[in-house]
Structures are given as C-alpha cells and as structure tokens.
Amino acid sequence: KLAVVPDNICPDSAFQDESAWVMQEGWSFLVNDGSNLAHQMGVPKCAMISSTSLAYSYHEYNVPSFAGVGQTLRLRYKAYNNSNQTMYAGVSFKNVAGADIGLIFDTLAPGSGHKLVSKQGVVPAGTVKLSFWARTNGVGLSGTMAIGEWKLDVASSADLIVDGAITANKIGAGQVT
C-alpha cells in the first residue's frame, strides 16, 4: 500500500534554530543525552520549563506568512507534564494585525505525564500568519512541562492506493482509481 505523507508546516519542529523561538522566563532547551527527559520523550531536543515567576510563561515560534485558508490541518506534538499546573500547547492563526482569529490546541492536566497529541482544525478566513506556542497556567509552577517534535500538516484522508490497483493501463496521469 502507498500513502502520501504531507510536509511539516512548522519550519523548526526539532528546535534546531534556538534563536527563532521566543522563550519567556523559565523555558529552556534540553538536548537528548540518552537518559534525560528528551530521551524519555523520544525526541532529539525538547523545550522545557520547571520554574517561573510569570503567571503565563510562553514558548513560541512565529511563522510570518502562511496561505492555507480553508484547509484542514493536523497538529501533532509530544508533550510531558508532571507539574502542578495545566499545560496548554497549540497553534494560533493570526490576521494581518497579528491578532489571534483561531487556534488548534490541547491541554495536559497537572501530573499527567507523557502524551502524544493529535488535533485537527480548519484554517479560518483572514489567516496570514501562524504561531506555535506552549504555556503555563498561573503563578507558582512546580514540577516540569516539556514539548517536542511540533508537526503541522494538511490533514490527508485515509485513502490508500491498494496493492495491485496500479496496472500498466493505469499508469497515465489521473488513471489510478
């Protein structure tokens, strides 16, 4: 069987360019050393926070231009939360003025541990920018939150090309049924 896998819209899903990410107080990057939290999450690098004095401390990446209005997108990421707060993480759709006009996100309850998130949403009219973000939920954070492997792609259908469906007379463009 054959499936077409879409490209990732997040330009830095593995945090290779640390300078591209806005990191408020408390957030830092953790490189997988074979035994730490990044290793437990199965990622080469994660963004994590274990303390902050801010009520809502953000980790964010802004995509300055995006054309995909009306498309259904799938957001996926790996997250971890053993803190005393709910973790929020997602992607915001922004208009020309930079205001949020829609989002796809999920929450991780306090102390919930590891989670692989997969959510879908439709890009609203007026979207010209994207912002990937994760944040804490109040003052007094204790414990650790982490996120890694951001992926955002156009959601594909579950249709596969069945083995044997492509024969010599169906090789021309648009001939596979």
Side-chain angles (χ1 to χ4, degrees):
K1 297 188 179 198
L2 173 70
V4 177
V5 180
D7 290 333
N8 188 359
I9 296 168
C10 181
D12 190 26
S13 61
F15 308 125
Q16 298 304 306
D17 182 6
E18 293 181 8
S19 66
W21 291 86
V22 175
M23 307 283 275
Q24 288 185 332
E25 179 185 308
W27 286 96
S28 62
F29 291 107
L30 181 66
V31 175
N32 185 331
D33 71 359
S35 63
N36 61 11
L37 181 56
H39 176 74
Q40 292 172 23
M41 293 174 70
V43 298
K45 188 186 288 186
C46 67
M48 64 171 284
I49 185 169
S50 55
S51 68
T52 182
S53 63
L54 299 176
Y56 303 101
S57 184
Y58 277 86
H59 155 79
E60 185 175 39
Y61 186 100
N62 293 299
V63 178
S65 63
F66 177 72
V69 170
Q71 290 181 326
T72 299
L73 300 181
R74 180 180 56 229
L75 173 67
R76 293 174 292 162
Y77 54 84
K78 292 181 179 178
Y80 174 79
N81 186 5
N82 80 343
S83 77
N84 62 334
Q85 295 183 9
T86 300
M87 177 182 182
Y88 293 80
V91 62
S92 294
F93 303 104
K94 298 179 177 286
N95 63 16
V96 174
D100 290 348
I101 56 174
L103 53 93
I104 305 171
F105 79 102
D106 198 17
T107 60
L108 277 76
S112 59
H114 295 277
K115 184 175 183 181
L116 177 61
V117 173
S118 182
K119 294 284 186 179
Q120 288 190 8
V122 176
V123 180
T127 299
V128 296
K129 302 175 189 177
L130 298 176
S131 177
F132 295 87
W133 52 269
R135 72 169 176 86
T136 60
N137 189 39
V139 178
L141 174 73
S142 65
T144 302
M145 294 179 183
I147 192 158
E149 287 191 352
W150 287 100
K151 293 182 180 163
L152 182 68
D153 52 41
V154 176
S156 57
S157 70
D159 296 336
L160 297 175
I161 298 173
V162 179
D163 289 339
I166 301 175
T167 58
N169 62 345
K170 293 184 178 177
I171 300 230
Q175 299 299 311
V176 178
T177 57

